[in-house]
């Protein structure tokens, strides 16, 4: 499945990789991102893994 991001089409794997890179650039843990987004940590991890 492809996702639209800023006019760019990304595969699920590319979207997950981009999310992980951005999270790590901001030195955020999965726990911190989960708390800020009200998403489950395991869900974010699955998204990052594509």
């Amino acid at each position: 499945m492809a996702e639209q991001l800023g006019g760019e089409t990304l595969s699920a794997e590319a979207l997950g990789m981009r999310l992980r890179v951005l999270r790590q650039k901001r030195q955020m843990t999965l726990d911190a991102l989960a708390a800020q987004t009200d998403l489950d940590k395991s869900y974010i991890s699955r998204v990052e893994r594509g």
Side-chain angles (χ1 to χ4, degrees):
M1 177 178 213
E3 300 290 332
Q4 283 291 120
L5 183 65
E8 181 181 344
T9 302
L10 296 175
S11 67
E13 293 81 16
L15 180 65
M17 186 183 304
R18 189 166 184 165
L19 175 61
R20 177 176 286 157
V21 167
L22 291 172
R23 177 179 61 79
Q24 290 175 339
K25 266 184 158 177
R26 289 165 175 76
Q27 299 180 338
M28 292 183 77
T29 63
L30 284 171
D31 287 319
L33 183 57
Q36 285 190 356
T37 60
D38 285 330
L39 295 172
D40 191 68
K41 177 173 77 170
S42 63
Y43 174 76
I44 296 169
S45 178
R46 287 192 309 268
V47 170
E48 286 186 351
R49 288 181 278 131

